[in-house]
């Protein structure tokens, strides 16, 4: 059983002509809603029930997409004998008359995608048989079976590009594509293909690009299409991919086997031109170290291939899947999201031209860096989201990682890197070591301070421009940790106490930094040195997730464009800071999830009108123990805020004065009530005479 797939990774757009983005250089005229430009007539979406008959007869391109034609009758196209391209995409076509194309001898491209041609497929097939010069045909999305497709393709020997995507094809044999010797591009994606008989593509001697993505193919064994340049079998259920043995030279350049269920590294041709191999999201691993390989019986698998009355047996060495493959021209290899626990000795040495290697989301625990492993041409290496606890560097290597530009080691279990690993990485520009529990080396000049044996030193990496150290559990930064670098991007997020109350450790890179992330670092307003005046080129600053109660300070020459202050403890933004920073070019600011006081948001209207606050709809404030969205706050000063803005002395006077008056009145009433008895007692004791 021979199964094949392909995908053109080179930006190849299959069969369907994209008229929507065609550039226009001439002045367009219109006729009944159709646009006429240099012999091209665009009538898409005009609610036409039939082909218009009054268009210019010299039209070479006619686009009738998205019109409810339902049928293309005989002689509908008779007024346009010079047509070279016809597009009838999404026209609800159920019938095409047998004579619809009889007078279209110049037609080279025909788009019939997303219609209902399975309804009267025999009549449609008869119509297509009158187009012997047709070169491009799109029959995608028509619910066609393999038998219907085979009938429609008869006598179309001039076809070079064919799309049968999104149909209901389930199996293929040698009768479906019989007679299509000139076909170069074939798109069969998104069908239900589960079986491809041997020889189904043997007649397609000019086939270069084959797309079988999104089908149900279980395996590809004895793959022998030597003329193919690109093959896409992604999103199937493949468990095996075995190329035919022998010394046949393959033209294969791009192979996409991603998103399948492969258990072993594919058995590739011994001689090929393969430069792109995509193996993402499978179940692959190398198993030599996990089994007893001393017994030859435990090292091989045999495949029984039955083709009619012929039976073949293929024997495969399970542990040396890559040993016989030709990988000398391979430049891009994606092995991410698999089950690799290690890389066999010599695996990367077989790929001297490799420039991009993606191994993220595997189970790698160690990586040995030897001579030519990784190869010297490697420019991008992604080892993120593994279980790496050690990197082993062969002593004496002087040129390892010499061409590397991007190195991703994030989300591993590293405590450090081998001394000298980065010393020879003279071209590295981007380094991500986030989410590793590393420590930074102190200045070598401090002889009384000895750093950890596996600490990391970024000093004097002159080419380094982007560094991510998020969540590394870093302690206080040593002196000049980034001296000699060219950093424009630095992420120190989620490292509490790393700045130790000062921005001084960043002084060497402050003038160059354009993006700085200090998220979730426990910064607070007592952090008196939170002054970014020396960061003259800073464009993007992230201070979210801290404990700031006041707005950070900036210098006069700051070029800040984006500022994130979410999840802090801000109650207000100083009016002066708001007006000055916006005037200097601040384009985007994030302010939500702060406990703002609704009585302290005067002047924020400028932010709203300038659309500067990106999360304006979610910014809230507190007003009398209630949470109110700032966008819903009524204009003017809320009534509850007016009392808070009164002078406190006057407020106390207003509160005390009624009490004093009440007490005075009470005293007066008491005196008046007891006035006569009191006077009589005094007079009797003093023996004053009464006056009558």
């Amino acid at each position: 059983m021979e199964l094949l797939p392909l995908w053109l990774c080179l930006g190849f757009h299959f069969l369907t002509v994209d008229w929507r983005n065609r550039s226009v250089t001439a002045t367009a005229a219109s006729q009944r809603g159709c646009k006429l430009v240099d012999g091209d007539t665009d009538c898409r979406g005009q609610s036409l029930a039939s082909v218009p008959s009054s268009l210019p007869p010299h039209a070479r391109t006619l686009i009738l997409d998205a019109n409810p034609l339902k049928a293309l009758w005989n002689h509908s196209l008779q007024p346009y004998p010079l047509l070279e391209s016809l597009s009838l995409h999404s026209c609800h076509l159920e019938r095409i008359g047998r004579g619809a194309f009889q007078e279209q001898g110049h037609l080279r491209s025909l788009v019939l995608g997303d219609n209902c041609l399975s309804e009267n497929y025999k009549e449609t097939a008869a119509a297509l048989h009158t187009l012997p010069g047709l070169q491009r045909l799109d029959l995608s999305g028509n619910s066609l079976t393999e038998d219907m497709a085979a009938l429609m393709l008869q006598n179309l020997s001039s076809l070079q590009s064919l799309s049968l995507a999104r149909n209901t094809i389930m199996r293929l044999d040698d009768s479906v594509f019989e007679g299509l010797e000139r076909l170069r591009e074939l798109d069969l994606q998104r069908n239900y293909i589960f079986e491809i008989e041997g020889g189904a593509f043997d007649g397609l001697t000019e086939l270069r690009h084959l797309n079988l993505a999104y089908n149900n193919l279980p395996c590809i064994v004895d793959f022998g299409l030597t003329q193919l340049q690109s093959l896409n079998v992604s999103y199937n259920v493949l468990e095996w991919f075995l190329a035919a043995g022998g010394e046949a030279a393959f033209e294969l350049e791009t192979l996409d086997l991603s998103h399948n269920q492969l258990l072993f590294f594919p058995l590739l041709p011994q001689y090929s031109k393969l430069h792109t191999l995509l193996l993402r999201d499978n179940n692959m691993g190398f198993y030599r170290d996990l089994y007893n390989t001393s017994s030859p019986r435990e090292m091989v698998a045999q495949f029984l291939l039955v083709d009619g009355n012929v039976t073949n047996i293929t024997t495969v060495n399970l542990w040396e899947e890559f040993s016989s493959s030709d990988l000398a021209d391979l430049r891009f290899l994606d092995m991410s999201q698999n089950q690799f626990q290690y890389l066999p000795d010599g695996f990367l040495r077989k790929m001297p031209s490799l420039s991009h290697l993606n191994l993220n989301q595997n189970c790698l625990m160690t990586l040995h860096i030897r001579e030519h492993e990784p190869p010297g041409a490697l420019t991008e290496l992604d080892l993120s989201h593994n279980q790496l606890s050690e990197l082993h560097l062969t002593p004496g290597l002087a040129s390892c990682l010499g061409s590397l530009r991007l190195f991703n080691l994030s989300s591993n279990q590293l405590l450090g890197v081998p001394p000298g690993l980065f010393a020879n990485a003279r071209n590295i520009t981007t380094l991500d070591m986030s989410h590793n529990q590393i420590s930074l080396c102190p200045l070598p000049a401090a002889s009384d301070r000895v750093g950890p044996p596996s600490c990391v030193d970024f000093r004097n990496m002159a080419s380094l421009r982007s560094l991510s150290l998020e969540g590394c559990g870093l302690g206080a930064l040593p002196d000049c940790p980034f001296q000699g670098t060219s950093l424009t991007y630095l992420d120190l997020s989620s490292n509490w106490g790393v700045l130790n109350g000062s921005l001084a450790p960043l002084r060497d890179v402050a003038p160059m930094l354009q993006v700085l992330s200090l998220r979730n670092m426990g910064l607070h307003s007592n952090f008196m040195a939170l002054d970014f005046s020396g960061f003259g080129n800073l464009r993007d600053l992230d201070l979210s997730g801290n404990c700031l109660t006041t707005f950070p300070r900036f210098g006069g020459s700051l070029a800040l464009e984006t500022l994130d202050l979410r999840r802090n403890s801000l109650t207000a933004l100083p009016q002066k800071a708001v007006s000055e920073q916006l005037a200097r070019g601040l384009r985007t600011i994030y302010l939500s999830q702060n406990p703002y006081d609704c009585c302290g948001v005067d002047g924020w209207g400028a932010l709203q009108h300038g659309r500067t606050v990106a999360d304006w709809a979610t910014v809230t404030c507190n007003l009398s123990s209630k949470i109110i969205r700032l966008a819903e706050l009524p204009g003017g000063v809320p009534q509850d805020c007016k009392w808070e803005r009164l002078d406190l002395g006057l407020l106390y006077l207003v509160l005390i004065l009624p009490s004093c008056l009440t007490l005075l009145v009470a005293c007066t009433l008491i005196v008046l009530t007891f006035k006569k008895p009191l006077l009589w007692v005094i007079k009797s004791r003093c023996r004053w005479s009464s006056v009558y």
Side-chain angles (χ1 to χ4, degrees):
M1 179 169 54
E2 179 181 304
L3 308 172
L4 327 160
L6 128 236
W7 110 293
L8 224 225
C9 211
L10 318 171
F12 159 64
H13 297 286
F14 208 88
L15 169 53
T16 303
V17 180
D18 186 4
W19 304 107
R20 298 167 180 80
N21 296 324
R22 181 165 182 153
S23 59
V24 176
T25 57
T27 304
S30 62
Q31 184 169 334
R32 295 186 180 179
C34 298
K35 297 179 181 179
L36 314 176
V37 183
D38 294 340
D40 295 353
T41 306
D42 187 350
C43 298
R44 92 189 79 193
Q46 297 298 318
S47 301
L48 299 175
S50 61
V51 177
S53 59
S54 57
L55 299 174
H58 61 273
R60 297 185 180 275
T61 297
L62 177 57
I63 306 172
L64 293 168
D65 298 351
N67 283 290
L69 300 181
K70 294 188 178 180
L72 188 66
W73 303 109
N74 294 337
H75 311 299
S76 294
L77 301 171
Q78 186 176 8
Y80 316 110
L82 300 179
L83 278 182
E84 297 177 359
S85 296
L86 174 62
S87 182
L88 295 165
H89 187 275
S90 300
C91 288
H92 309 285
L93 287 176
E94 298 178 358
R95 171 173 295 178
I96 296 180
R98 294 174 181 269
F101 304 123
Q102 274 187 347
E103 300 179 8
Q104 300 303 316
H106 297 279
L107 197 62
R108 297 293 179 265
S109 177
L110 178 59
V111 177
L112 296 171
D114 291 311
N115 285 288
C116 307
L117 298 182
S118 60
E119 298 292 331
N120 296 279
Y121 71 94
K122 292 183 179 180
E123 194 172 359
T124 299
L128 293 175
H129 295 166
T130 63
L131 295 171
L134 193 64
Q135 296 178 358
R136 294 178 177 271
L137 176 61
D138 184 354
L139 293 172
S140 60
N142 278 286
S143 302
L144 301 177
T145 65
E146 55 269 26
D147 295 332
M148 296 177 184
L151 182 61
M152 289 185 177
L153 297 175
Q154 288 180 2
N155 301 326
L156 297 181
S157 57
S158 60
L159 270 187
Q160 297 180 12
S161 181
L162 171 63
S163 177
L164 290 169
R166 295 181 290 107
N167 281 289
T168 56
I169 299 172
M170 302 183 70
R171 59 186 305 277
L172 297 174
D173 57 31
D174 56 0
S175 66
V176 178
F177 306 112
E178 186 177 2
L180 303 182
E181 293 87 358
R182 298 182 184 178
L183 194 65
R184 298 179 60 85
E185 303 167 359
L186 177 58
D187 188 355
L188 291 165
Q189 65 174 308
R190 296 185 184 276
N191 278 277
Y192 301 92
I193 302 171
F194 66 89
E195 181 182 1
I196 301 178
E197 291 188 3
F201 300 112
D202 286 354
L204 307 180
T205 55
E206 296 296 321
L207 190 62
R208 297 295 181 267
H209 310 294
L210 177 59
N211 191 341
L212 284 165
Y214 294 95
N215 280 285
N216 298 308
L217 296 173
C219 64
I220 295 180
V221 178
D222 202 28
F223 170 71
L225 292 182
T226 57
Q227 78 277 18
L228 271 187
Q229 293 179 354
S230 64
L231 174 62
N232 183 1
V233 217
S234 61
Y235 292 97
N236 278 268
V237 290
L238 294 179
E239 294 185 357
W240 301 90
F241 181 92
L242 306 176
E247 298 183 356
F250 283 72
E251 298 294 322
L252 193 62
E253 298 177 353
T254 300
L255 176 59
D256 189 350
L257 299 174
S258 58
H259 306 285
N260 278 284
Q261 299 176 19
L262 291 173
L263 300 172
F264 298 90
F265 194 85
L267 184 63
L268 301 171
Q270 293 185 23
Y271 302 98
S272 71
K273 300 178 181 179
L274 193 65
H275 61 66
T276 300
L277 179 57
L278 307 176
L279 302 172
R280 181 184 182 91
D281 188 22
N282 279 281
N283 300 316
M284 291 187 299
F286 292 117
Y287 307 101
R288 172 180 282 274
D289 293 353
L290 303 181
Y291 292 89
N292 178 18
T293 58
S294 60
S295 174
R297 293 184 178 180
E298 296 184 9
M299 299 176 63
V300 298
Q302 291 184 328
F303 292 88
L304 185 65
L305 308 179
V306 180
D307 186 4
N309 296 326
V310 180
T311 301
N312 294 320
I313 298 178
T314 299
T315 301
V316 179
N317 189 326
L318 294 180
W319 319 123
E320 300 291 347
E321 304 96 324
F322 65 91
S323 60
S324 62
S325 302
D326 183 5
L327 302 174
D329 294 328
L330 194 65
R331 296 194 295 271
F332 190 101
L333 176 58
D334 187 352
M335 298 167 59
S336 60
Q337 298 183 36
N338 277 281
Q339 305 295 323
F340 293 107
Q341 296 185 11
Y342 72 99
L343 299 181
D345 295 345
F347 176 67
L348 296 178
R349 193 178 295 118
K350 290 180 64 64
M351 312 171 192
S353 303
L354 191 66
S355 60
H356 295 74
L357 176 58
N358 190 349
L359 284 164
N360 75 62
Q361 298 184 57
N362 276 282
C363 307
L364 296 173
M365 292 179 282
T366 60
L367 181 69
H368 294 269
I369 300 176
R370 308 180 180 91
E371 188 174 5
H372 305 304
E373 287 195 80
L378 195 66
T379 60
E380 293 189 13
L381 176 57
D382 190 347
L383 296 170
S384 61
H385 294 89
N386 277 277
Q387 301 173 21
L388 286 172
S389 58
E390 288 184 285
L391 296 177
H392 294 285
L393 178 64
T394 300
L397 282 183
S399 59
C400 67
L401 310 181
S403 301
L404 199 64
R405 295 182 179 275
L406 184 150
F407 197 7
N408 191 346
L409 288 165
S410 63
S411 300
N412 279 284
Q413 301 172 14
L414 295 172
L415 299 177
V417 297
L421 178 64
F422 296 140
N424 296 315
R426 55 187 177 275
N427 290 311
I428 195 166
T429 60
T430 302
L431 178 60
D432 189 347
M433 296 199 68
S434 56
H435 303 290
N436 286 285
Q437 298 303 304
I438 62 174
S439 57
L440 303 188
C441 298
L443 272 174
S447 57
D448 57 329
R449 296 169 59 192
V450 180
S454 59
C455 64
V456 183
D457 193 355
F458 301 112
R459 298 181 183 90
N460 299 318
M461 293 181 64
S463 60
L464 189 62
R465 297 178 59 84
S466 175
L467 177 61
S468 180
L469 298 173
E470 179 182 1
C472 287
L474 297 174
L477 290 179
D479 293 336
C480 308
F482 310 116
Q483 188 179 46
T485 67
S486 304
L487 285 178
T488 59
Y489 176 98
L490 178 60
D491 188 352
L492 294 173
S493 302
S494 302
N495 289 288
W496 281 64
V498 68
L499 291 178
N500 198 23
S502 172
L503 293 175
L506 306 181
R507 63 179 179 272
D508 292 315
V509 293
M512 298 176 291
L513 278 178
Q514 297 179 12
V515 179
L516 177 60
S517 181
L518 303 177
R519 181 177 61 254
N520 299 324
M521 292 180 57
L523 302 179
H524 48 79
S525 294
N526 293 330
F527 193 176
M528 300 304 295
L530 194 61
D531 188 343
F532 295 92
S533 300
F535 295 73
N537 287 310
L538 197 61
R539 302 287 190 274
D540 191 327
L541 177 59
D542 188 351
L543 293 171
S544 61
N546 287 288
C547 305
L548 300 177
T549 58
T550 58
F551 199 78
R553 296 189 295 277
F554 300 104
S557 60
L558 192 70
L560 195 65
E561 296 178 357
T562 303
L563 176 62
D564 194 341
L565 290 169
R566 287 174 291 186
R567 301 187 306 279
N568 275 280
S569 301
L570 297 172
T571 57
L573 293 183
Q575 183 61 33
K576 181 180 179 181
V578 173
S579 59
E580 290 183 357
Q581 299 308 320
L582 289 180
R584 292 175 188 153
L586 189 64
R587 297 179 181 176
T588 305
I589 185 171
Y590 297 91
L591 296 171
S592 61
Q593 303 178 58
N594 279 284
Y596 298 112
D597 184 354
C598 292
C599 299
V601 295
D602 283 352
W604 280 36
L607 293 175
Q608 182 183 12
H609 296 312
R611 300 181 183 274
T612 305
V613 183
D615 54 349
W616 178 264
T618 60
V619 178
T620 60
C621 62
N622 300 319
L623 180 64
S624 301
S625 301
K626 293 185 296 184
I627 305 298
I628 301 176
R629 288 187 179 182
L630 208 59
E632 300 173 356
L633 198 65
V637 181
Q639 189 66 30
D640 294 349
C641 299
K642 294 181 179 179
W643 287 101
E644 297 183 13
R645 297 189 176 185
L646 292 174
D647 182 79
L648 290 179
L650 180 61
L651 181 62
Y652 292 149
L653 179 62
V654 171
L655 293 175
I656 293 174
L657 186 58
S659 300
C660 294
L661 292 175
T662 302
L663 181 61
L664 180 61
V665 171
C667 293
T668 303
L669 291 176
I670 292 174
V671 169
L672 293 177
T673 302
F674 298 101
K675 179 178 180 182
K676 289 185 178 181
L678 182 60
L679 290 174
W680 183 84
V681 171
I682 293 174
K683 288 181 179 181
S684 63
R685 290 187 177 182
C686 296
R687 296 181 180 180
W688 290 349
S689 57
S690 299
V691 179
Y692 298 94

